[in-house]
Amino acid sequence: MVFYFLALLLLAGSAQADNLPESDMMSQLRLGKILQEYTHIKESGGAVQARILIHTNVENIWDILQGCGKAFVFVDGMEQCEILEKTDDYALIHQVVDTGLFAPQLDYSYESRNQPFSKMEFNLTEGNLTVLQGGWEFVDVDDGVLATYNMRVRLGFPLPRFLVRMSLRRMIPDMLACIRGLVGGSGSTERKKEDLDQCPGDI
């Protein structure tokens, strides 16, 4: 789902995924790094693909991404989250987020269409964003789950692109690390503490 809707851009302190051979990519991920590459670079707003290795089963990850409860823990600025409609493979979610950008709160709804334990896709339905789309994909690997997160977002009000990206730069590594810690997928006691320390909300 998209509690991390804006968790989408420049990953401070993480490594670039661009042009990394697959073996090198997995080596970096096993070290606990978060890898990303950028897309739609010339557009306003931004887009990113991020990868993280989580040492748990996909069911645990899936559970924490459903509903709204944990969104207040791993999404910085989440002020409101409510499920408007829900079936086994579909949800309509309304959220309000304070980005801290000296700009209006983000107030939007999106729909999430899911293929259980393999893929989530989300798209904006209404609100003060112009574009919000992306999703999660999960692949089982020998030592856990390779999670790939795609996000493309464009604000519905004027704000310099560099300001949006500078503000969001700190958000996504914290969010992904927090999720990894919350599901017990950090791989060590020390890293779990580091991951949970990145959670912007109260655990």
Side-chain angles (χ1 to χ4, degrees):
M1 302 179 84
V2 189
F3 322 112
Y4 16 62
F5 68 104
L6 270 187
L8 71 301
L9 287 167
L10 312 171
L11 303 174
S14 59
Q16 293 287 333
D18 307 63
N19 303 317
L20 271 180
E22 184 174 354
S23 59
D24 290 347
M25 180 188 74
M26 290 304 300
S27 295
Q28 295 289 313
L29 292 171
R30 288 188 177 100
L31 292 173
K33 295 185 177 181
I34 298 167
L35 305 181
Q36 97 288 331
E37 53 192 294
Y38 304 105
T39 59
H40 303 279
I41 294 173
K42 295 182 179 180
E43 294 184 359
S44 61
V48 71
Q49 180 181 85
R51 296 182 180 92
I52 184 171
L53 179 63
I54 304 177
H55 301 281
T56 188
N57 57 60
V58 69
E59 288 83 359
N60 288 339
I61 305 168
W62 193 268
D63 287 346
I64 202 174
L65 298 181
Q66 300 296 300
C68 288
K70 294 297 184 180
F72 295 93
V73 177
F74 59 77
V75 178
D76 195 6
M78 179 67 69
E79 295 192 347
Q80 183 177 344
C81 181
E82 57 182 329
I83 301 172
L84 304 179
E85 298 178 26
K86 192 175 187 310
T87 65
D88 289 343
D89 58 2
Y90 173 86
L92 180 63
I93 310 289
H94 172 244
Q95 295 179 338
V96 177
V97 177
D98 183 355
T99 64
L101 291 175
F102 303 104
Q105 291 178 324
L106 300 180
D107 188 332
Y108 58 91
S109 297
Y110 68 91
E111 59 182 9
S112 175
R113 299 184 182 276
N114 307 320
Q115 297 178 23
F117 310 123
S118 63
K119 183 182 293 187
M120 298 178 177
E121 295 180 344
F122 51 81
N123 281 285
L124 180 72
T125 58
E126 62 180 358
N128 62 354
L129 297 173
T130 302
V131 175
L132 176 64
Q133 61 183 196
W136 286 89
E137 292 187 7
F138 307 100
V139 176
D140 289 321
V141 294
D142 290 342
D143 43 0
V145 176
L146 174 60
T148 301
Y149 178 65
N150 290 281
M151 169 62 71
R152 179 173 169 235
V153 66
R154 186 183 302 166
L155 303 180
F157 45 86
L159 198 67
R161 181 171 59 185
F162 81 91
L163 181 60
V164 176
R165 293 183 174 182
M166 286 177 61
S167 177
L168 296 176
R169 176 175 308 208
R170 62 182 173 78
M171 294 177 66
I172 197 166
D174 289 352
M175 182 200 74
L176 294 178
C178 180
I179 291 171
R180 182 169 60 189
L182 289 172
V183 300
S186 303
S188 70
T189 302
E190 294 78 9
R191 181 166 293 139
K192 180 176 181 178
K193 183 181 185 304
E194 293 173 1
D195 284 347
L196 293 177
D197 284 345
Q198 304 310 308
C199 294
D202 295 332
I203 300 175

